[in-house]
């Protein structure tokens, strides 16, 4: 009788433990790296600056270029469903996350100029949200 209760209690505690160990895990963000002025932005480990995601997904912009600061924002006059706010991406701290809740196309750029070179000539891409 007593051992039965203890065994039942053990199972109960185990179940509570399992349930409480299940966080409402947010999906990992898709990472877009600012590689360099020359190479531009790259999605994850791909060679492309363009990506398609689902509504509610997030993008994490990361400066992976120790030689320069970069920024990210929506391309001016590109009429996105929602703006990506102009954000500085110094090398450290170097990341900015944004959740995209509105479907549509978001063209993004780095708006910096260094040595009279507008980064946006090479640093641009497109996020499509479905
Ligand atoms: Cu840049």
């Amino acid at each position: 009788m007593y051992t039965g209760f203890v065994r039942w209690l053990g199972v109960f505690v185990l179940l509570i433990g399992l349930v409480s160990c299940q966080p409402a895990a947010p999906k990992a963000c898709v990472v877009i790296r600012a590689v360099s002025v020359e190479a531009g932005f790259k999605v994850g480990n791909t060679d492309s600056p363009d990506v398609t995601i689902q509504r509610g997904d997030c993008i994490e912009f990361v400066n992976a270029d120790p030689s320069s600061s970069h920024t990210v924002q929506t391309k001016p006059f590109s009429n996105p469903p929602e703006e990506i706010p102009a954000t500085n991406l110094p090398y450290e701290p170097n990341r900015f996350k944004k959740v995209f809740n509105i479907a549509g196309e978001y063209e993004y750029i780095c708006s910096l100029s260094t040595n009279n070179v507008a980064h946006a000539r090479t640093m641009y891409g497109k996020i499509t949200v479905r």
Side-chain angles (χ1 to χ4, degrees), residues 8-91:
W8 179 87
L9 190 66
V11 170
F12 184 73
V13 168
L14 187 67
L15 283 175
I16 294 294
L18 283 174
V19 169
S20 64
C21 281
Q22 302 291 325
K27 240 172 93 181
C29 295
V30 173
V31 172
I32 297 181
R33 294 171 300 131
V35 176
S36 66
V37 176
E38 296 75 21
F41 291 99
K42 304 291 181 194
V43 174
N45 292 319
T46 74
D47 195 40
S48 170
D50 304 331
V51 66
T52 299
I53 60 174
Q54 305 296 315
R55 270 184 302 164
D57 286 354
C58 81
I59 298 280
E60 183 174 24
F61 296 96
V62 176
N63 184 351
D65 181 1
S67 70
S68 180
S69 281
H70 294 289
T71 72
V72 68
Q73 65 170 71
T74 29
K75 183 180 172 184
F77 311 111
S78 63
N79 195 28
E82 176 189 22
E83 296 293 332
I84 300 169
T87 305
N88 289 320
L89 296 172
Y91 185 58

Side-chain angles (χ1 to χ4, degrees), residues 92-113:
E92 297 284 353
N94 60 357
R95 40 197 72 221
F96 165 65
K97 288 183 186 181
K98 175 169 172 53
V99 174
F100 290 79
N101 290 312
I102 307 174
E105 295 192 340
Y106 300 75
E107 293 181 73
Y108 67 92
I109 62 163
C110 170
S111 67
L112 279 191
S113 286

